[in-house]
Amino acid sequence: MLQTIFPYLCYLAVLLVLAVPLGRYIKKVMFGEKTFLSPLLGPCENFIYKLSGVCKEEQMDFKKYTASVLLFSGIGFVFLFLLQLLQGFLPGNPQGIGSPSWHLAFNTTASFVTNTNWQAYSGESTLSYLTQALGLTVQNFVSAATGIAVLFALIRGFNQVKEKHLGNFWVDLTRIVVHILLPLNLVLAVALAGGGVVQNFKGAESVTLLEPVAISAEGELLSGAVIDSKTNTVTINGTQVPGATVVTREFVPMGPAASQVAIKQTGTNGGGFFGVNSAHPLENPNAFTNLLEMTSILLIPVALCFTFGEAVKNKKQGFAIFMAMFLCLVVAIGCIAVSEQSGTVQLAQNGTVNLSAVGQAGGNMEGKECRFGIAGSSTWAAYTTAASNGSVNAMHDSFTPLGGMVTMLLMQLGEVIFGGVGCGLYGMLAFAILTVFIAGLMVGRTPEFLGKKIEPYEMKWSVLVCLATPVAILAGSGIAAIVPEVAQSLNNGGAHGFSEMLYAYSSAGGNNGSAFAGFNANTVFLNLSIGIVMLFARFLPIIGTLAIAGSLAQKKKIAVTAGTLSTTNGMFVFLLIFIVLLVGALSFFPALALGPLAEFFGSIA
Amino acid sequence: MSTKSKSTFADRAMLGRAVRDSFLKLAPKTQAQNPVMLLVYLSAILTTVLWVASLFGIMDAPSGYTLSIAVILWFTCLFANFAEAIAEGRGKAQADALRAAKKDVDAHKIPAVDRKGEATIISSAQLKKGDLVFVKAGEQIPADGEVIEGAASVDESAITGESAPVIREAGGDRSAVTGGTTVLSDWIVVQVTSEAGESFLDKMIAMVEGAARKKTPNEIALQIFLVALSIIFILVTLSLYTYSAFSAKLAGIENPTSVTTLVALLVCLAPTTIGALLSAIGIAGMSRLNQANVLAMSGRAIEAAGDVDILMLDKTGTITLGNRQAHDLLPVDGTLPQELADAAQLSSLADETPEGRSVVVLAKEKFGLRGRTLQDKNMTFLPFTAATRMSGVDYDGHEIRKGAADSVRAYVEATGGCYSEECARIVKEIARQGGTPLVVAKDRRILGVIHLKDIIKQGVQEKFADLRKMGIKTIMITGDNPLTAAAIAAEAGVDDFLAEATPEGKLNMIRDFQAKGHLVAMTGDGTNDAPALAQADVAVAMNTGTQAAKEAGNMVDLDSSPTKLIDIVRIGKQLLMTRGSLTTFSIANDVAKYFAIIPALFMRLYPGLGALNIMGLTSPQSAVLSAIIYNALIIIALIPLALKGVRYREVPAGKLLSRNLLVYGLGGFAAPFVFVKLIDVLLTVCGLA
């Protein structure tokens, strides 16, 4: 037993050990305090202000801060959109790739500006190097930074007493990129490259296969084929296969993968350098890189919980929020791991498939890499859907019904189990506001959180922040279900086919970006609807969070007495989890019943 | 307010009126005010239309099934209306009684105070602000006003329900009179302070009837939450229809979900329980306050009462009994105890105050001095005045004086008398113990000190301890010196005190607390309390108080009881708790309803989902019917709770939360599993399923 759960414990332990000090570091950076990197990075920061003419001391109120966020994202949106449409005429396009369709460009733009990284395109054949570097990579950094900036505006809302100021968006943005994202990713990229992830600027290479493979005339890989390398003939069970070809060389992609993978993971972006994301042996070659990449998915989101505690001068509060998220994460990992380890009734039949967890461990290995196994794949699946990352090292489509359902549910909960950098925590804080509202009523007090009274204005926006994801997913997938062409995008029929569609919209609505492989998302309707869902689920909560911050900042702080409901104890953690699960479960139980649950019960019947 | 004893359900007339009102409230305009119930209302209309359509062959679902759903949905609406109507019923009955008091009477308007003879008789409705009216025994006071001349005993039972008459007199803090009350003896001249339609009685009628009821901020916040949930559930049901069509197409069968069933699902999921009872809870809270004889000027004030964490309580009447009692007689400078007792008793014979009487009694009990009568000696009594701060008696050439230490000291020292060290020490000691020292002097020689003691009311210590557990601090307000105040505060167990309180002192203290983030409640009666009342978050003015105090407060206590504040806090908390608990209950119910309806909907599509039918309901139809019947009946079942309020205890917030979560959260989760199953069994037995 211990042997089975040991890897999971290690993964979690590594994450926590790294996240706690990072949390403290982020707080110092954002409060303008001195850190060990200040002597080096401080001048860089000031240089940027000088260059861009930003006044460091300027303070923004709710309206100005929101306008700045939206303006910044808007400009990024237009720039990325045009960059794609014009890439055919721009340099940095050695392969001469033409412009993508307008709807695909829209979808990709929305996807990267919203920190989702849903990929309806396939990178190698759709986007030029220039678009990748100047468009996507830049958005990977700044969309992540925007999320953290909004979180800090909210933190200032809690801290301010009868003030209007929420900080300065440009300063926040600069500090996050210069002091947090750049150094962190530099270290990570070097470590990944050292671990074997490719990092070069060479073109793709062609190498000789150690063992040639045979392909039928239809282009399918022939298994059990015997190849006579001298005559180039292929025989199966003694009979020659007509029209079969023997492949002796292999295409090996190259490029600056390590550096891209670093920000893809730490910024909860998730858009892979290679098509199959971190399942690719050159993007994630071994257990070491897997541990690094996996940990960096949740590193900043976990650290931010501790940052929050420090920043609002209530470490217990940060810890309570962390515990609520952490417990959900542990349960999710447990559910996925158990489901994947024990496989399905069909796999277990007659003992044909090895489902043991010890020695050369087995389980439901379809769609998983042997070098990661059940533990590495299940934990990654939970991490990437808990955070709104979306990178994968295994194909979620091939998970067992219940394992796949948990990944879907984690996204449908609104990506608040750590969630995206910044946005996960502010989403959770909106849930905390809902929780204190209900709990406050139950003890006969009008609710308060961190000394701030929760009134109709805050309730209105909290509700919108919390429900943006469910509304986006339900409306998007509900409409998609009556569009005839959507059925043709499915890779499977029945309940699993429905799951593919539901997963796509859950991924978009949670700003996650992962997909049930096989779902062909590049159609006009899907590109547009998924793009709109992503934008809605990203920007409504941002506006809502800033509105709450602006209103809280202007309130006085209520004194704490014995009558005050504690928001740092086990009871609150329990209630918070309960409310998050309740909203998620009530919104998605019917949908899940028609997808993974139907599949599960169908399979055991 | 005198009909306290009758329970709501016992009153048949009230019940009849509520049933009638439930139907009247089906008017679209009324329904539109409650978004959650509007959803049910529209659903009822929709299913009715579907049923009518089914009669013409447009089948959404079997005709009988659609009809039963429609009927149950209409009942759900009626039940919600009934809850509101029954809550309003008590208020309406009160309002009727008040209206009876508020009839037009003839008013004797006079041009000036000294021209009482020149009264013109006009209708009370025509009185203007500032008019002077003359009211004599047996007449009703025509309008709210201030007594500017005279004194009279007034029967205020029409508004307070209290039959004992009260004194109303010009000047001081007992000058306010209310229109509709009756002068029993003597006469007064009243200056009108409010015109017809704006009188206290008018406000009171509007408040108890709920006509002036505005949604409170907290109610609005809750409603936002409920509306948001409803919107999600609308999306859930809409998307479920398309999902189901999508899945059915993939499976190559007909869409198994009917609009009727989806509407039923929507109503089940929407927070109808709390939606139906929300306004009833608010009205009932107000009504409970009225029953406690407190009139809140807004619903907001009641909610604020739940949040109060500082209670500023007047010492006298709240913490101590109104009167101090002589506790001990302490002779000084070698005076015999007997001599002191004799002097003390003599000086108090004519003193009719409770303090004075207690001195006589003490002297009799402790020293066997019989009560003497005034005729014994040739005695002249000097009553207590604010100027001398002494009272006393002159007889046979002797002078006895008793009073505050410094006054007596000045009195004896004026003629070269001596105020000894010993006396000063005893005076100080008594003050330190929380007592009031009265120094007794005979012929300008100090005999000793009477120790007057404040009697702490029984049970206040426990009360304050309970309040402390809830996080409410109590502050004692007193005019006593700090030494005395500290001793009484310690004995009564209050958290803090304000000694030698002045109106400014109170105001500053409230401001200080508010600046630190506290919410303060206080009671007051005098005009000089008005600024503090206006500043406090919850301000309860005594009905006996002045008009200024009443206007500054946001509640009026008709009983003028100083301990009322504690009841008000309780009612405020109970109101919020009832809302919170029923919301939790309502949402927790949804889980079970899903388990009833989802398998019923999709068993044909995916037979495996039958595993989710953990209640083992007979058929898809009976499952849906049972769920919505439960949904309707639970409203009726919870009306008494909504009216009475959930049980309230003075325990810390954490304990209260876990208890309420256990009862209403877990209860709300489990109850529908039991009752939906029960209803299903009944339907099956009756052959309806």
Side-chain angles (χ1 to χ4, degrees):
Chain A
M1 183 63 193
L2 187 68
Q3 199 189 342
T4 315
I5 60 168
F6 187 69
Y8 299 99
L9 294 178
C10 287
Y11 296 149
L12 292 171
V14 169
L15 176 63
L16 296 189
V17 166
L18 293 175
V20 174
L22 179 63
R24 228 170 279 148
Y25 174 78
I26 296 176
K27 186 250 165 183
K28 280 188 179 166
V29 167
M30 297 310 289
F31 278 59
E33 294 164 26
K34 238 173 116 83
T35 68
F36 68 100
L37 289 176
S38 309
L40 193 66
L41 299 174
C44 301
E45 185 191 335
N46 290 328
F47 178 69
I48 294 177
Y49 298 145
K50 228 176 243 169
L51 205 66
S52 57
V54 166
C55 172
K56 206 173 158 184
E57 315 304 326
E58 192 203 337
Q59 289 285 321
M60 298 179 172
D61 63 359
F62 147 63
K63 279 188 188 143
K64 185 132 195 229
Y65 204 101
T66 312
S68 306
V69 173
L70 296 181
L71 181 75
F72 181 69
S73 300
I75 291 174
F77 188 96
V78 172
F79 177 75
L80 182 52
F81 186 64
L82 292 178
L83 195 62
Q84 288 179 75
L85 290 185
L86 299 175
Q87 68 178 8
F89 311 103
L90 294 172
N93 190 2
Q95 281 148 288
I97 301 170
S99 303
S101 64
W102 64 272
H103 51 86
L104 180 58
F106 167 76
N107 183 281
T108 307
T109 308
S111 164
F112 278 79
V113 171
T114 60
N115 195 243
T116 308
N117 294 26
W118 169 263
Q119 290 163 299
Y121 64 92
S122 69
E124 301 89 328
S125 58
T126 319
L127 300 177
S128 72
Y129 286 159
L130 185 79
T131 311
Q132 295 257 20
L134 222 58
L136 305 192
T137 310
V138 167
Q139 280 303 329
N140 274 351
F141 274 93
V142 296
S143 66
T146 303
I148 302 177
V150 171
L151 172 68
F152 271 88
L154 180 61
I155 287 174
R156 293 189 193 107
F158 281 116
N159 283 348
Q160 301 275 34
V161 178
K162 296 191 166 178
E163 285 279 355
K164 285 188 158 179
H165 302 147
L166 297 177
N168 184 323
F169 175 65
W170 308 115
V171 172
D172 288 346
L173 195 68
T174 312
R175 281 188 178 154
I176 293 160
V177 173
V178 172
H179 288 268
I180 302 167
L181 295 179
L182 284 178
L184 183 64
N185 284 298
L186 191 68
V187 172
L188 186 61
V190 170
L192 286 175
V197 178
V198 287
Q199 175 75 16
N200 57 40
F201 294 94
K202 288 185 224 160
E205 287 185 5
S206 174
V207 296
T208 310
L209 283 174
L210 289 176
E211 195 181 345
V213 291
I215 292 174
S216 73
E218 289 80 33
E220 306 242 335
L221 191 71
L222 293 168
S223 58
V226 180
I227 298 165
D228 185 340
S229 53
K230 282 171 194 154
T231 58
N232 262 359
T233 50
V234 178
T235 47
I236 294 179
N237 298 335
T239 43
Q240 196 181 333
V241 183
T245 44
V246 176
V247 177
T248 55
R249 294 188 73 76
E250 167 181 39
F251 171 84
V252 179
M254 291 286 152
S259 55
Q260 298 268 12
V261 170
I263 183 62
K264 158 192 117 176
Q265 299 299 82
T266 54
T268 57
N269 291 295
F273 191 76
F274 299 117
V276 289
N277 215 303
S278 284
H280 196 287
L282 294 182
E283 186 159 338
N284 187 10
N286 50 44
F288 173 68
T289 57
N290 194 57
L291 177 66
L292 280 185
E293 291 181 20
M294 195 160 71
T295 305
S296 47
I297 292 176
L298 279 181
L299 188 58
I300 295 181
V302 173
L304 284 175
C305 292
F306 299 107
T307 308
F308 177 73
E310 299 244 355
V312 297
K313 294 189 191 71
N314 188 342
K315 286 188 193 171
K316 278 185 178 170
Q317 187 64 68
F319 186 71
I321 303 262
F322 162 78
M323 275 316 283
M325 294 175 166
F326 187 70
L327 289 175
C328 290
L329 178 73
V330 169
V331 170
I333 294 176
C335 290
I336 298 175
V338 168
S339 303
E340 297 310 307
Q341 189 66 61
S342 51
T344 61
V345 183
Q346 285 74 13
L347 287 176
Q349 221 164 23
N350 308 326
T352 40
V353 176
N354 172 23
L355 295 177
S356 75
V358 287
Q360 178 62 50
N364 172 31
M365 286 301 291
E366 186 194 305
K368 294 185 183 66
E369 294 291 308
C370 292
R371 60 187 187 282
F372 307 137
I374 297 295
S377 307
S378 301
T379 311
W380 185 300
Y383 277 21
T384 194
T385 47
S388 71
N389 188 288
S391 65
V392 291
N393 73 349
M395 296 302 118
H396 295 179
D397 190 43
S398 298
F399 275 33
T400 57
L402 290 186
M405 180 174 84
V406 174
T407 62
M408 223 185 295
L409 187 63
L410 281 172
M411 297 186 290
Q412 291 163 341
L413 293 181
E415 292 293 15
V416 294
I417 311 305
F418 294 114
V421 285
C423 49
L425 186 51
Y426 65 67
M428 193 55 149
L429 289 172
F431 271 105
I433 289 177
L434 288 196
T435 306
V436 292
F437 181 76
I438 303 280
L441 283 187
M442 273 199 283
V443 299
R445 278 173 74 101
T446 60
E448 66 206 51
F449 186 49
L450 289 170
K452 301 281 189 167
K453 271 237 169 308
I454 305 302
E455 284 166 306
Y457 186 81
E458 289 77 35
M459 263 316 268
K460 187 174 75 192
W461 284 109
S462 300
V463 158
L464 287 174
V465 172
C466 293
L467 298 186
T469 296
V471 165
I473 298 174
L474 287 171
S477 58
I479 293 169
I482 45 169
V483 174
E485 66 172 62
V486 173
Q488 284 149 27
S489 291
L490 304 181
N491 195 30
N492 283 283
H496 196 78
F498 176 77
S499 294
E500 284 175 5
M501 194 269 286
L502 183 63
Y503 194 101
Y505 282 93
S506 301
S507 177
N511 282 171
N512 183 283
S514 66
F516 258 19
F519 184 69
N520 171 27
N522 188 10
T523 69
V524 180
F525 172 78
L526 288 172
N527 275 336
L528 283 183
S529 63
I530 288 177
I532 291 168
V533 165
M534 289 187 287
L535 290 172
F536 179 83
R538 169 78 170 181
F539 289 104
L540 181 65
I542 283 184
I543 296 169
T545 304
L546 290 173
I548 294 170
S551 162
L552 290 180
Q554 291 176 48
K555 294 184 184 213
K556 59 177 188 179
K557 261 197 190 292
I558 308 280
V560 175
T561 68
T564 311
L565 191 72
S566 166
T567 54
T568 55
N569 60 9
M571 178 59 106
F572 176 76
V573 171
F574 164 76
L575 253 181
L576 180 58
I577 295 175
F578 181 74
I579 297 282
V580 169
L581 289 182
L582 197 76
V583 170
L586 292 180
S587 305
F588 293 106
F589 184 70
L592 294 173
L594 285 174
L597 285 177
E599 201 184 343
F600 171 72
F601 286 115
S603 76
I604 58 168
Chain B
M1 318 226 156
S2 45
T3 55
K4 277 181 194 173
S5 54
K6 277 186 191 166
S7 96
T8 321
F9 280 92
D11 195 326
R12 286 201 138 192
M14 210 187 270
L15 212 58
R17 179 145 88 168
V19 170
R20 206 190 63 216
D21 283 351
S22 333
F23 284 92
L24 291 179
K25 280 172 188 283
L26 283 178
K29 215 176 155 190
T30 322
Q31 293 291 318
Q33 285 166 1
N34 184 340
V36 178
M37 291 318 292
L38 180 66
L39 188 66
V40 183
Y41 184 69
L42 294 176
S43 301
I45 294 175
L46 178 63
T47 45
T48 312
V49 170
L50 283 173
W51 172 66
V52 173
S54 73
L55 296 181
F56 295 97
I58 307 162
M59 284 292 189
D60 171 64
S63 180
Y65 172 69
T66 312
L67 177 64
S68 5
I69 300 275
V71 168
I72 297 165
L73 292 187
W74 282 117
F75 267 105
T76 311
C77 288
L78 285 174
F79 289 167
N81 292 345
F82 180 73
E84 195 180 76
I86 200 96
E88 285 169 350
R90 196 184 289 153
K92 280 194 173 154
Q94 273 174 16
D96 287 348
L98 287 173
R99 273 205 194 88
K102 195 199 137 215
K103 48 183 187 258
D104 273 359
V105 290
D106 289 340
H108 301 269
K109 188 180 164 195
I110 55 172
V113 177
D114 48 4
R115 288 155 71 189
K116 297 185 191 69
E118 303 165 34
T120 43
I121 295 179
I122 63 167
S123 160
S124 59
Q126 291 170 313
L127 284 172
K128 297 269 173 300
K129 231 182 209 168
D131 284 352
L132 298 178
V133 287
F134 178 75
V135 192
K136 59 179 189 295
E139 288 178 355
Q140 205 177 68
I141 297 172
D144 293 357
E146 199 86 32
V147 179
I148 55 168
E149 196 186 321
S153 62
V154 178
D155 174 14
E156 295 195 337
S157 60
I159 52 168
T160 63
E162 182 61 56
S163 52
V166 291
I167 302 296
R168 292 285 177 246
E169 60 194 351
D173 288 344
R174 292 169 178 276
S175 60
V177 287
T178 311
T181 56
T182 311
V183 172
L184 293 180
S185 69
D186 307 295
W187 56 265
I188 44 176
V189 176
V190 176
Q191 184 165 35
V192 176
T193 53
S194 71
E195 293 177 20
E198 295 163 15
S199 70
F200 184 69
L201 208 56
D202 290 313
K203 281 187 205 155
M204 200 164 157
I205 291 170
M207 281 319 291
V208 296
E209 215 176 24
R213 215 177 82 84
K214 284 206 195 88
K215 281 189 184 131
T216 60
N218 182 263
E219 214 175 341
I220 294 169
L222 180 56
Q223 197 143 55
I224 289 171
F225 181 63
L226 298 180
V227 168
L229 281 179
S230 305
I231 290 173
I232 274 288
F233 291 132
I234 292 174
L235 282 174
V236 166
T237 35
L238 282 178
S239 64
L240 193 55
Y241 189 76
T242 65
Y243 291 166
S244 153
F246 183 83
S247 303
K249 210 161 86 188
L250 288 180
I253 63 167
E254 212 184 308
N255 189 355
T257 50
S258 64
V259 175
T260 309
T261 306
L262 281 178
V263 166
L265 176 65
L266 175 60
V267 170
C268 279
L269 293 180
T272 46
T273 314
I274 179 68
L277 297 173
L278 189 57
S279 68
I281 294 169
I283 297 166
M286 192 70 104
S287 180
R288 275 200 298 278
L289 200 63
N290 290 338
Q291 278 182 309
N293 260 353
V294 176
L295 197 63
M297 294 306 166
S298 72
R300 221 187 176 110
I302 311 181
E303 273 173 15
D307 289 345
V308 158
D309 56 1
I310 304 274
L311 290 189
M312 301 204 8
L313 301 167
D314 272 328
K315 182 194 80 176
T316 309
T318 312
I319 296 165
T320 60
L321 292 172
N323 15 15
R324 285 175 275 208
Q325 294 196 332
H327 173 69
D328 206 355
L329 297 172
L330 303 160
V332 295
D333 305 336
T335 313
L336 290 173
Q338 204 76 13
E339 192 184 353
L340 171 64
D342 185 66
Q345 194 185 42
L346 276 174
S347 67
S348 304
L349 277 178
D351 188 351
E352 279 300 317
T353 62
E355 287 89 350
R357 259 178 277 150
S358 76
V359 173
V360 177
V361 170
L362 183 74
K364 188 162 88 184
E365 282 177 354
K366 230 177 160 181
F367 301 98
L369 294 178
R370 271 194 325 101
R372 284 159 291 189
T373 54
L374 301 179
Q375 288 79 33
D376 277 0
K377 290 165 181 151
N378 183 21
M379 293 197 286
T380 324
F381 286 94
L382 296 142
F384 179 87
T385 67
T388 59
R389 303 218 291 149
M390 290 189 298
S391 62
V393 60
D394 291 346
Y395 71 99
D396 300 345
H398 297 292
E399 278 182 28
I400 301 178
R401 294 288 180 274
K402 75 171 199 287
D406 46 350
S407 321
V408 177
R409 180 180 188 167
Y411 160 77
V412 293
E413 283 178 351
T415 52
C418 155
Y419 183 80
S420 70
E421 281 290 310
E422 190 189 1
C423 179
R425 189 176 51 74
I426 289 177
V427 163
K428 206 167 170 193
E429 176 63 19
I430 291 172
R432 202 185 53 74
Q433 289 171 20
T436 307
L438 280 185
V439 179
V440 182
K442 186 174 181 184
D443 299 334
R444 302 197 178 243
R445 185 177 67 87
I446 290 175
L447 297 181
V449 188
I450 303 173
H451 182 171
L452 283 182
K453 205 175 168 187
D454 262 314
I455 309 295
I456 306 278
K457 276 189 171 178
Q458 261 191 341
V460 287
Q461 286 102 328
E462 289 81 2
K463 195 93 201 165
F464 294 149
D466 286 345
L467 287 171
R468 196 169 307 117
K469 272 191 232 150
M470 294 162 56
I472 298 175
K473 266 172 81 172
T474 42
I475 313 282
M476 181 180 84
I477 307 290
T478 170
D480 292 340
N481 64 57
L483 221 56
T484 313
I488 297 174
E491 194 179 344
V494 295
D495 296 282
D496 204 350
F497 62 88
L498 177 65
E500 290 169 352
T502 57
E504 299 79 49
K506 287 191 211 176
L507 187 61
N508 289 336
M509 193 169 200
I510 294 176
R511 286 212 178 117
D512 278 353
F513 277 124
Q514 287 175 333
K516 286 181 203 148
H518 294 283
L519 279 143
V520 183
M522 73 167 285
T523 46
D525 51 4
T527 301
N528 58 14
D529 282 334
L533 283 170
Q535 181 70 31
D537 299 282
V538 172
V540 183
M542 306 282 193
N543 192 43
T544 53
T546 60
Q547 201 67 33
K550 278 191 198 171
E551 269 162 25
N554 44 21
M555 292 190 197
V556 176
D557 175 18
L558 300 175
D559 291 342
S560 305
S561 147
T563 51
K564 203 49 89 53
L565 213 43
I566 296 168
D567 295 327
I568 293 172
V569 169
R570 180 179 55 76
I571 290 168
K573 281 199 180 289
Q574 214 182 12
L575 172 68
L576 293 178
M577 276 165 58
T578 310
R579 265 187 212 144
S581 301
L582 289 183
T583 305
T584 309
F585 185 87
S586 188
I587 299 171
N589 266 330
D590 281 355
V591 178
K593 292 174 191 164
Y594 263 140
F595 277 101
I597 294 182
I598 294 296
L601 273 176
F602 298 119
M603 236 135 85
R604 261 184 51 220
L605 190 58
Y606 296 116
L609 285 180
L612 290 177
N613 182 9
I614 49 180
M615 284 176 268
L617 304 178
T618 317
S619 69
Q621 286 198 358
S622 79
V624 175
L625 283 174
S626 309
I628 65 162
I629 290 174
Y630 167 81
N631 197 52
L633 291 181
I634 196 71
I635 296 173
I636 287 287
L638 290 176
I639 289 177
L641 185 68
L643 296 186
K644 237 175 61 204
V646 302
R647 207 167 136 212
Y648 165 83
R649 277 195 219 153
E650 279 140 356
V651 293
K655 269 191 191 166
L656 212 55
L657 178 63
S658 42
R659 187 182 163 275
N660 283 341
L661 260 186
L662 201 68
V663 175
Y664 299 98
L666 206 62
F669 178 77
F673 279 104
V674 176
F675 290 105
V676 169
K677 174 71 187 166
L678 212 64
I679 296 168
D680 180 72
V681 169
L682 279 176
L683 287 178
T684 312
V685 168
C686 302
L688 290 169

